Amino acid sequence: MKQETLKQLLEDQVAKKAVALATDIDSGEQTLIYRDAASGPDAEHGEILSITRQSILDDRNKVHDVGGRRIFIEVFNPPLRMLIVGAVHIAQPLSRMASVTGYDVTVIDPRASFATDERFPGISLNGEWPDDAMRELDPDRRTAVVTLTHDPKLDDPGLEVALKSDAFYIGSLGSRKTHAGRVERLSAAGFTETEIERIHAPVGLDIGSISPAEIAVSILAQITEVLHRKIEGRAAA
Amino acid sequence: MADGNVATGLSQDDDVLNEAAAWRADGTNVALATVVSTWGSSPRPVGSHLAVNENGKLVGSVSGGCIEGAVVAEAMEVMKNGKPKVLEYGVTNELAWEVGLACGGSIHVYVEKVE
């Protein structure tokens, strides 16, 4: 690998720009490929470009046979994101554990006394109302959304935007009774049953969690399961 | 993972590439090993990196320990002659047993010099 190629990859990671490296593993030639640009010997190779751009979308590293050449495609996507609505107690361990796991975490809460740097050191905080914040942060298929406030005034607007997005995971804290009320409100707001079923509620895997940190473990475990097993709709739990 | 397909999702390897770049920037020779395919139970996913410098310093891993020694020896060679190489370790390869890929899987590792 050329030193400049390595430097460029690292710069793109800092800039949170999706890029992939296509390596001919017999010749060693390498091409950097972006969604809308490419540089290197295969920068004009239509098949390699299209395979690579699909790999960026699928987050997959793989060796492909391209006209008898072995091309290794390695994707360098920006980190997965987690958007947490509610700077509540559970959000403290959840945001830290998710950061360690590799997520780029943002905690959304318009209540200034909750969303403080003291309570969430090193975590991005967003003080907008959850629907505005969610629209601005624009969850995509590499984003998990978790609402934790218990307060429909805050959770519902965030959920309404999340349900219209491609977020790979949506979870919402609250008992079955709380969730039944939520389902009613979302139905009244025009969401279909299938859309509402995307919400994991009660949130997290059922592992008997009691403390906020244990609940965070169950939520992160469920998100991990959905991420890697690509479970459709509600989790197996 | 039968076809060597692995969702990357969460990269843990940024520090490996950063370290490799830092070594190279200091004028030290560096080789980079990357897992390019896996079959069966391989401990590290496709895209895992191991960087080695001319002083024998290592960062990262391609196997969780079982073939690192052999990969490092090959990396030293690649550092000298500059020719990239695909290494194969697995149950069908007697050498792999010798170097200890006892976890029952098979992997291909691409080794290249950072020029």
Side-chain angles (χ1 to χ4, degrees), chain A residues 1-4 6-7 9-10 13 21 23-30 58-63 70 72-80 100-103 142 227-228 230, chain B residues 1 3-14 17-22 24-26 30 32 34-37 45-49 84-86 108 110 112-115:
Chain A
M1 184 184 299
K2 292 193 180 109
Q3 201 180 347
E4 307 87 81
L6 181 55
K7 270 175 76 179
L9 278 175
L10 292 169
Q13 284 191 302
L21 183 66
T23 304
D24 182 319
I25 59 176
D26 296 299
S27 74
E29 287 189 335
Q30 291 176 315
D58 296 340
D59 238 343
R60 271 177 201 284
N61 298 327
K62 195 177 179 224
V63 177
R70 293 189 293 174
F72 176 56
I73 310 235
E74 183 172 9
V75 176
F76 296 83
N77 265 321
L80 295 171
V100 171
T101 309
Y103 288 86
R142 304 183 70 255
L227 174 69
H228 292 302
K230 307 279 188 247
Chain B
M1 311 293 166
D3 60 353
N5 243 346
V6 173
T8 51
L10 301 161
S11 170
Q12 314 280 328
D13 277 351
D14 302 2
L17 297 183
N18 276 308
E19 190 71 44
R24 193 67 203 96
D26 282 347
V30 181
L32 184 66
T34 306
V35 177
V36 297
S37 59
V46 174
S48 299
H49 295 119
K85 200 167 178 183
V86 179
H108 284 177
Y110 174 71
E112 63 191 320
K113 183 177 181 181
V114 180
E115 303 284 355

Side-chain angles (χ1 to χ4, degrees), chain A residues 84-92 95 107-121 123-128 148-151 154:
Chain A
I84 300 173
V85 175
V88 298
H89 198 167
I90 294 170
Q92 292 178 281
S95 58
V107 174
I108 300 163
D109 202 318
R111 298 168 298 183
S113 57
F114 283 66
T116 64
D117 289 330
E118 290 71 41
R119 281 163 55 85
F120 294 93
I123 302 288
S124 304
L125 300 173
N126 184 310
E128 301 290 315
L148 298 175
T149 71
H150 270 121
D151 181 349
L154 291 166

Side-chain angles (χ1 to χ4, degrees), chain A:
Chain A
M1 184 184 299
K2 292 193 180 109
Q3 201 180 347
E4 307 87 81
T5 307
L6 181 55
K7 270 175 76 179
Q8 187 61 50
L9 278 175
L10 292 169
E11 276 172 27
D12 291 335
Q13 284 191 302
V14 172
K16 295 183 180 171
K17 192 167 169 188
V19 58
L21 183 66
T23 304
D24 182 319
I25 59 176
D26 296 299
S27 74
E29 287 189 335
Q30 291 176 315
T31 305
L32 280 172
I33 300 174
Y34 301 85
R35 287 203 189 94
D36 53 359
S39 67
D42 285 315
E44 312 272 327
H45 195 300
E47 191 182 351
I48 291 177
L49 292 181
S50 74
I51 294 172
T52 305
R53 286 175 180 147
Q54 188 59 48
S55 302
I56 292 175
L57 286 178
D58 296 340
D59 238 343
R60 271 177 201 284
N61 298 327
K62 195 177 179 224
V63 177
H64 296 264
D65 182 325
V66 182
R69 295 165 63 199
R70 293 189 293 174
I71 307 292
F72 176 56
I73 310 235
E74 183 172 9
V75 176
F76 296 83
N77 265 321
L80 295 171
R81 291 187 297 157
M82 185 182 297
L83 309 180
I84 300 173
V85 175
V88 298
H89 198 167
I90 294 170
Q92 292 178 281
L94 179 59
S95 58
R96 286 168 61 191
M97 290 176 195
S99 294
V100 171
T101 309
Y103 288 86
D104 188 351
V105 181
T106 303
V107 174
I108 300 163
D109 202 318
R111 298 168 298 183
S113 57
F114 283 66
T116 64
D117 289 330
E118 290 71 41
R119 281 163 55 85
F120 294 93
I123 302 288
S124 304
L125 300 173
N126 184 310
E128 301 290 315
W129 207 257
D131 49 352
D132 292 333
M134 202 65 77
R135 268 192 287 271
E136 176 191 318
L137 294 164
D138 193 18
D140 58 14
R141 55 195 280 176
R142 304 183 70 255
T143 308
V145 175
V146 185
T147 72
L148 298 175
T149 71
H150 270 121
D151 181 349
K153 283 200 307 296
L154 291 166
D155 280 352
D156 285 12
L159 279 176
E160 289 185 18
V161 179
L163 284 175
K164 288 176 188 149
S165 79
D166 290 332
F168 76 86
Y169 175 93
I170 302 173
S172 211
L173 187 74
S175 64
R176 280 172 210 288
K177 195 169 155 225
T178 304
H179 187 59
R182 183 183 294 134
V183 169
E184 252 174 54
R185 292 189 305 275
L186 290 171
S187 302
F191 288 93
T192 67
E193 201 178 325
T194 317
E195 286 170 326
I196 295 169
E197 276 181 358
R198 285 178 66 198
I199 302 171
H200 294 267
V203 73
L205 296 182
D206 184 4
I207 53 172
S209 298
I210 295 169
S211 71
E214 288 173 343
I215 294 167
V217 167
S218 83
I219 295 170
L220 192 55
Q222 186 172 50
I223 292 172
T224 306
E225 181 181 49
V226 172
L227 174 69
H228 292 302
R229 299 224 176 112
K230 307 279 188 247
I231 298 167
E232 295 295 324
R234 296 176 67 95

